[in-house]
């Protein structure tokens, strides 16, 4: 009588399917029998054929070899909700969520009009002014809300105030908190502002950003065109003059 068949040793990768090694071994032996291999020469399947890829990993992507994702390159998680804020909501969030986003951006080196360290009271004052602009219809604000309701990102759209510039708007203060990066919030916020601008009759958007900053990849990937670079246009949070690149995007 032939010795009982024992499944070949397998790695921990098979722990999610404990019966799979035995099934594969049986199928392998049946296949050898069909091919006419003598019983005393039938071998069990090599262990490496019985392993399977971890179920929680995408094909060809090792958990230790995943490419680093740009903060704004991924897709937004369902838990993050982007919504337009009313003037009253901007005023309500000014002292906490919105101020925290601005302080975090400056601490991280973003050139957004302030020097480091940025006091929370100064950031709150700026957002209070933005709330007044929202009441007048000059500035519109969108915020990303995290799973716990906290604000994780923000963007504003400023409409041109001149009679000959009513077709134009400016994207300003696109900020994503460092704790929420890698979820595509920057692209999601930008897309919301662009869609609203187009739906309300704007045909051209402009913005400026520090040259060679991470934000440039986001804008270029979203279809924006660089119009030119101005050297030493604005200082970074440390007070060092940096070049600024101007971008534009036609809508419609």
């Amino acid at each position: 009588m032939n010795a009982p068949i024992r499944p070949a040793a397998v790695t921990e990768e098979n722990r999610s399917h404990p019966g799979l090694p035995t099934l594969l071994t049986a199928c392998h032996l049946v296949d050898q029998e069909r091919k006419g291999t003598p019983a005393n020469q039938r071998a069990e399947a090599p262990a490496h054929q019985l392993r399977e890829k971890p179920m929680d990993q995408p094909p060809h992507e090792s958990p230790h070899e995943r490419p680093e994702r740009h903060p704004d390159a991924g897709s937004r998680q369902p838990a993050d909700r982007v919504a337009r804020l009313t003037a009253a909501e901007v005023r309500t969030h000014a002292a906490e969520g919105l101020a925290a986003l601005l302080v975090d951006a400056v601490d991280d080196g973003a050139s957004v009009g302030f020097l480091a360290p940025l006091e929370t009271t100064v950031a709150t004052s700026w957002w209070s002014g933005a709330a007044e602009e929202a009441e007048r219809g000059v500035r519109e604000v969108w915020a990303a809300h995290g799973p716990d309701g906290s604000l994780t990102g923000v963007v504003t759209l400023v409409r041109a105030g001149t009679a000959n510039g009513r077709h134009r708007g400016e994207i300003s203060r696109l900020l994503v908190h460092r704790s929420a990066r890698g979820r595509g919030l920057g692209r999601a916020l930008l897309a919301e502002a662009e869609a609203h601008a187009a739906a309300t009759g704007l045909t051209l958007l402009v913005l400026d950003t520090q040259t060679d900053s991470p934000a440039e990849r986001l804008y270029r990937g979203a279809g924006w065109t660089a119009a030119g670079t101005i050297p030493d246009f604005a200082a970074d949070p440390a007070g060092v003059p940096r070049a600024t690149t101007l971008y534009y995007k036609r809508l419609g």
Side-chain angles (χ1 to χ4, degrees), residues 58 61 66-75 181-183 217:
E61 185 178 24
R66 293 176 182 169
E68 181 179 356
R69 289 177 171 82
H70 185 267
D72 298 320
S75 59
R181 293 180 186 171
R183 305 208 294 256
R217 183 164 65 176

Side-chain angles (χ1 to χ4, degrees), residues 31-123:
D31 183 64
Q32 286 190 329
E33 181 179 3
R34 289 176 178 173
K35 293 179 179 179
T37 303
N40 60 357
Q41 296 181 16
R42 296 172 193 168
E44 297 176 356
H48 73 273
Q49 294 182 8
L50 303 179
R51 301 185 186 123
E52 65 179 53
K53 291 183 181 297
M55 296 298 292
D56 57 346
Q57 300 299 331
H60 310 299
E61 185 178 24
S62 163
H64 304 292
E65 297 176 350
R66 293 176 182 169
E68 181 179 356
R69 289 177 171 82
H70 185 267
D72 298 320
S75 59
R76 180 162 50 95
Q77 294 181 350
D80 293 299
R81 177 178 58 88
V82 175
R84 184 181 171 191
L85 300 182
T86 65
E89 289 172 327
V90 174
R91 187 171 288 106
T92 297
H93 291 293
E96 295 183 0
L98 292 173
L101 286 171
L102 194 52
V103 170
D104 178 75
V106 174
D107 286 347
D108 193 39
S111 180
V112 289
F114 300 93
L115 297 178
L118 175 61
E119 297 292 334
T120 300
T121 54
V122 176

Side-chain angles (χ1 to χ4, degrees), residues 155-169:
V155 67
T156 77
L157 170 65
V158 182
R159 295 176 180 272
T162 59
N164 66 346
R166 291 173 182 165
H167 65 289
R168 187 180 72 242

